[in-house]
Amino acid sequence: MAGTTVPNAGDPGWPPIARRSGLSLPELELVRRTPVFAGLSPPALAPLLESALAKAFGRQSVLFLQGEPASRFFVVLDGWVRLYRQTPQGQEVTIAVFGRGDSFAEAVVLQMMPFPVSAQVIADSRLLVIPADSFMRHLQASTDLCFKVMAAMARRLQDLVFQLENVSSRSTVQRLAHFILRLCDGHTRDCRIQLPLDKNLIAARLGMQPETLSRALAKLRSVGVEADGHELRVHDTVRLRSMAAREDER
């Protein structure tokens, strides 16, 4: 909307929220950009984060189990989290993998239903934990705030549809290229990175099979991407970005 000022970490309302929750100002800005909070001003966001706390979680930490009451939801400040379901045969099936800037479990909290999946930290992570009771209490007390969050969730649904369209329209090579470029954020040319996940989880994140991921990685050698175990070297991020942008790559 023309003339609307988008709040940022420099707004005077941010520091009190950050101090109370243990967030840095850049982390708070990251939280504000998540779909569930998108566009909320400091006065609107403050009550929703009243009881929220930023916490560190070690690799393999279990955040919640399938069937437990949905008493909280999360924003990934750093690291990776896997959502999975247990089959009747006792196998774990990965449903989704979330990274920095992603939120998860808020829809379950809003529906006041048990967690339909389990969640496990798969790399040392820092998460914002938002208790459901305080969050829901403030939504119930303010019709205006409730409508704002409903609008934000509607935008999230649109974003998910857009992401699904992107997955279906992009080749596996393009999807992998975009993932690598995200890890190379801030590098203009040569980039060395450690893959934060094993290949099965990266494949799940990108909506492909592990063997398809291996073939896509092999194809990226033509644009200067070299793999050595969990280490990747991108010789030219500009060239890789050009590959990722090609609409005719199928």
Side-chain angles (χ1 to χ4, degrees), residues 176-190:
L176 179 57
H178 279 284
F179 178 77
I180 294 171
L181 285 167
R182 180 178 175 181
L183 297 177
C184 284
D185 185 37
H187 293 79
T188 55
R189 286 290 178 180
D190 188 275

Side-chain angles (χ1 to χ4, degrees), residues 28-40 45 48 73-76 98-107 110 130 135 145-161 163 182:
L28 184 54
E29 179 62 13
L30 180 71
V31 170
R32 191 197 63 80
R33 291 200 304 268
T34 60
V36 68
F37 298 126
L40 293 183
L45 184 58
L48 296 179
F73 67 99
F74 303 81
V75 177
V76 183
F98 294 104
R100 185 176 183 273
D102 292 329
S103 60
F104 60 95
E106 66 270 35
L110 288 169
I130 305 166
F135 180 79
L145 189 56
C146 187
F147 274 112
K148 286 179 179 177
V149 171
M150 286 173 59
M153 292 299 292
R155 287 192 295 272
R156 174 161 200 185
L157 180 59
Q158 291 177 326
D159 288 342
L160 289 174
V161 171
Q163 290 172 23
R182 180 178 175 181

